[in-house]
């Protein structure tokens, strides 16, 4: 499998999100995404991408893209992820280790920063087209994005 790093402009996305505080775990945010999908079904919303956002090492956000009109409820908050420049890579976690991809993307962004092509990395997120735990196509097309500042 070929893994290519690219700089690209990610569009803004309207999402419903739930924050989880705690250490990373194997099924990170699974419970929160379950809650978001139940909320979307209750609101009769069409949903899109599943976005895992790492705010820091112990603060995570489960974000579910939605279309239509909605209201926040319980732990679910609505917000807009702004359009931003990202360093991205799409890969199949069953073919390539995610730790290799993360380390590679980290080194690639470091070299881009040294060459003066980008500023600092400001965040990390994983994007899936659907539920990565139940949809093998979504899992096989994991997209890792490092949000970066442009110079």
């Amino acid at each position: 499998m070929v893994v290519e790093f690219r700089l690209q402009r990610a569009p803004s996305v309207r999402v419903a999100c739930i924050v989880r505080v705690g250490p990373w775990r194997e099924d990170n945010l699974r419970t929160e995404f379950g809650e978001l999908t139940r909320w979307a079904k209750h609101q009769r919303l069409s949903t899109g991408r599943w976005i895992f956002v790492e705010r820091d090492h112990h603060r995570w956000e489960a974000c579910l893209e939605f279309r239509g009109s909605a209201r926040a409820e319980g732990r679910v908050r609505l917000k807009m992820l702004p359009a931003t420049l990202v360093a991205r890579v799409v890969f199949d976690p069953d073919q390539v280790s995610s730790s290799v991809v993360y380390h590679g993307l980290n080194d690639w962004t470091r070299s881009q920063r040294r060459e003066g092509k980008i500023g600092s990395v400001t965040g990390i997120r994983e994007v899936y087209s659907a539920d990565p735990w139940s949809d093998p196509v979504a899992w096989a097309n994991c997209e890792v994005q490092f949000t970066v500042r442009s110079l």
Side-chain angles (χ1 to χ4, degrees):
M1 168 176 233
V2 175
V3 177
E4 291 186 30
F5 304 122
R6 293 195 176 133
L7 275 178
Q8 184 174 326
R9 190 99 177 131
S12 61
V13 182
R14 191 167 61 151
V15 296
C17 61
I18 297 176
V19 173
R20 184 180 78 77
V21 177
W24 183 88
R25 59 180 195 241
E26 190 63 36
D27 64 346
N28 205 23
L29 299 176
R30 191 171 192 162
T31 304
E32 288 76 9
F33 274 110
E35 191 174 331
L36 285 171
T37 56
R38 285 189 299 279
W39 168 84
K41 187 174 185 178
H42 176 73
Q43 299 265 335
R44 297 184 178 154
L45 295 171
S46 175
T47 61
R49 293 173 285 187
W50 292 43
I51 305 169
F52 296 64
V53 179
E54 179 183 353
R55 292 294 174 207
D56 59 42
H57 295 297
H58 294 289
R59 189 174 175 83
W60 312 86
E61 267 184 292
C63 298
L64 183 62
E65 179 183 25
F66 69 92
R67 293 168 206 84
S69 171
R71 294 179 58 178
E73 183 179 285
R75 294 191 325 147
V76 178
R77 299 290 174 251
L78 307 180
K79 69 179 192 175
M80 183 72 82
L81 295 178
T84 186
L85 183 64
V86 296
R88 68 183 286 268
V89 62
V90 178
F91 71 104
D92 181 350
D94 291 332
Q95 302 289 324
V96 179
S97 169
S98 59
S99 61
V100 169
V101 169
Y102 273 91
H103 285 290
L105 191 53
N106 187 49
D107 290 345
W108 187 79
T109 53
R110 187 177 300 135
S111 72
Q112 295 294 299
R113 204 169 42 246
R114 266 186 258 136
E115 293 174 14
K117 295 181 180 177
I118 63 171
S120 61
V121 172
T122 60
I124 300 172
R125 53 191 184 189
E126 287 183 17
V127 181
Y128 298 90
S129 59
D131 179 356
W133 291 287
S134 65
D135 185 343
V137 173
W139 174 253
N141 291 293
C142 173
E143 179 177 343
V144 175
Q145 298 178 347
F146 283 16
T147 55
V148 297
R149 287 195 177 110
S150 56
L151 291 177

